[in-house]
């Protein structure tokens, strides 16, 4: 009697009724677990509900709290009535607060609303400052020509507005002379004094010595509109000038 792989002799002698209910071979697991599928579907549903909003026929609740196109509170109305008012205004019924009881829906131009939201996100991304960190690695016994090349790269990175992480790599017995790496990093910081400031001073990190340089931010010149109002307050008025002249004239007359 030939047995399949993973099938014991005892299992082969079971009656067919028991044999069909038992696993006689190694169990094949599905490529995608059921929990992962459930989590993915839940995440997709949540993203659709919150990010995309449910509109018009996608709303499946019997009644909603309606807000009109002008932002006024209409109150709790049936879904059919809310859809009728939205169609009468030639707009969309958008579910803006699905977790409320009942959900809050607003009459609006959904296409225009999505465009405005996209523009706001675009402006927010423009205002975000992205910090780039470049790394330069050197050996403590680097030659002058190699140092000039490395320092040229550092200068270019700083001019581009990126931070620079200078790393000195030690090998073997060089760890007994970490002062050589400190001296090299101090030289680099001195050469880049006009372009950068030391954000992180040299420190030993394992078999490396690290220093971080940050570019110097140039101060923008003030425009006339940004001039402080204190300058106008401190400036003498014509009345003050006249008062000073009269005082000096009286003093001269008394003399």
């Amino acid at each position: 009697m030939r047995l399949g792989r993973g099938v014991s002799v005892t299992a082969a002698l079971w009656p067919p009724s028991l044999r069909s209910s038992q696993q006689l071979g190694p169990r094949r697991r599905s490529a995608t677990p059921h929990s992962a599928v459930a989590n993915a579907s839940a995440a997709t549903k949540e993203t659709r509900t919150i990010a995309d909003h449910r509109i018009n026929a996608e709303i499946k609740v019997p009644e909603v709290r309606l807000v009109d196109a002008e932002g006024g509170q209409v109150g709790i109305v049936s879904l059919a009535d809310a859809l009728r008012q939205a169609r009468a205004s030639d707009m969309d019924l958008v579910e803006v607060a699905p977790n409320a009881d009942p959900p809050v829906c607003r009459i609006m131009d959904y296409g225009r609303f999505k465009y405005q939201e996209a523009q706001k996100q675009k402006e927010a991304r423009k205002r975000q400052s992205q910090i780039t960190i470049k790394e330069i690695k050197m050996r403590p016994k680097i030659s002058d020509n190699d140092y000039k090349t490395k320092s040229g790269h550092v200068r270019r990175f700083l001019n581009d507005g990126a931070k620079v992480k200078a790393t000195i790599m030690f090998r073997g017995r060089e760890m007994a002379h970490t002062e050589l790496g400190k001296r090299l990093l101090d030289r680099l910081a001195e050469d880049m004094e006009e372009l950068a400031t030391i954000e992180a001073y040299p420190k030993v990190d394992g078999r490396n010595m690290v220093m971080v340089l940050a570019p110097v931010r140039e101060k923008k010149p003030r425009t006339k509109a940004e001039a402080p109002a204190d300058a106008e307050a401190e400036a003498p008025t014509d009345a003050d000038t006249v008062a000073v002249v009269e005082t000096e004239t009286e003093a001269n007359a008394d003399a």
Side-chain angles (χ1 to χ4, degrees), residues 37-158:
V37 175
N39 294 337
S41 61
T44 304
K45 183 177 179 181
E46 182 179 1
T47 302
R48 180 175 179 81
T49 304
I50 297 176
D52 293 342
H53 300 92
R54 290 186 293 194
I55 63 173
N56 300 330
E58 296 178 356
I59 305 173
K60 302 297 183 181
V61 293
E63 58 182 12
V64 297
R65 186 179 299 275
L66 184 62
V67 180
D68 60 17
E70 303 298 329
Q73 296 288 339
V74 178
I76 299 177
V77 298
S78 64
L79 178 61
D81 190 11
L83 290 172
R84 191 180 307 108
Q85 294 186 37
R87 283 194 294 268
S89 303
D90 196 17
M91 292 186 180
D92 302 306
L93 183 66
V94 182
E95 188 180 45
V96 294
N99 296 327
D101 186 21
V104 179
C105 295
R106 180 170 182 175
I107 299 175
M108 67 173 70
D109 186 348
Y110 188 57
R112 181 179 179 184
F113 170 75
K114 289 189 67 175
Y115 174 77
Q116 292 176 349
E117 289 296 317
Q119 292 299 316
K120 289 180 181 179
Q121 294 178 2
K122 185 177 180 180
E123 292 297 328
R125 286 193 298 267
K126 286 183 179 179
R127 289 193 294 267
Q128 291 178 351
S129 59
Q130 296 181 353
I131 301 176
T132 306
I133 300 179
K134 301 289 187 178
E135 185 175 12
I136 289 292
K137 295 183 178 181
M138 296 182 289
R139 297 293 307 280
K141 297 180 180 180
I142 188 173
S143 63
D144 291 339
N145 292 333
D146 291 343
Y147 173 79
K148 289 180 181 179
T149 302
K150 297 286 187 179
S151 62
H153 294 328
V154 173
R155 189 178 300 275
R156 176 165 53 87
F157 294 151
L158 292 173

Side-chain angles (χ1 to χ4, degrees), residues 4-43:
R5 181 180 299 177
V7 180
S8 63
V9 178
T10 306
L13 298 177
W14 288 344
S17 59
L18 295 177
R19 196 184 309 168
S20 60
S21 63
Q22 300 295 328
Q23 297 178 355
L24 301 182
R27 182 181 179 183
R28 291 186 178 182
R29 296 184 178 180
S30 59
T32 305
H34 295 287
S35 59
V37 175
N39 294 337
S41 61

Side-chain angles (χ1 to χ4, degrees), residues 197-241:
T197 58
I198 301 177
E199 185 176 90
Y201 285 88
K203 64 177 181 179
V204 178
D205 184 12
R207 286 189 169 272
N208 300 328
M209 181 174 286
V210 180
M211 179 183 69
V212 179
L213 298 176
V216 177
R217 296 183 180 179
E218 298 181 358
K219 295 183 178 180
K220 297 182 180 180
R222 290 184 178 181
T223 60
K224 293 182 179 180
E226 296 176 352
D230 296 340
E232 298 179 359
E234 294 177 357
T237 60
D238 295 338
D240 296 335
T241 306

Side-chain angles (χ1 to χ4, degrees), residues 143-195:
S143 63
D144 291 339
N145 292 333
D146 291 343
Y147 173 79
K148 289 180 181 179
T149 302
K150 297 286 187 179
S151 62
H153 294 328
V154 173
R155 189 178 300 275
R156 176 165 53 87
F157 294 151
L158 292 173
N159 287 328
D160 292 341
K163 295 183 179 181
V164 178
K165 178 182 178 182
T167 303
I168 307 298
M169 300 180 297
F170 298 100
R171 291 182 182 176
R173 297 181 180 179
E174 291 177 350
M175 285 299 299
H177 303 282
T178 55
E179 69 277 1
L180 297 178
K182 176 68 163 55
R183 193 180 308 163
L184 185 59
L185 292 178
D186 290 342
R187 176 186 176 186
L188 181 63
E190 185 177 355
D191 293 342
M192 303 298 160
E193 185 177 5
E194 297 180 356
L195 299 176

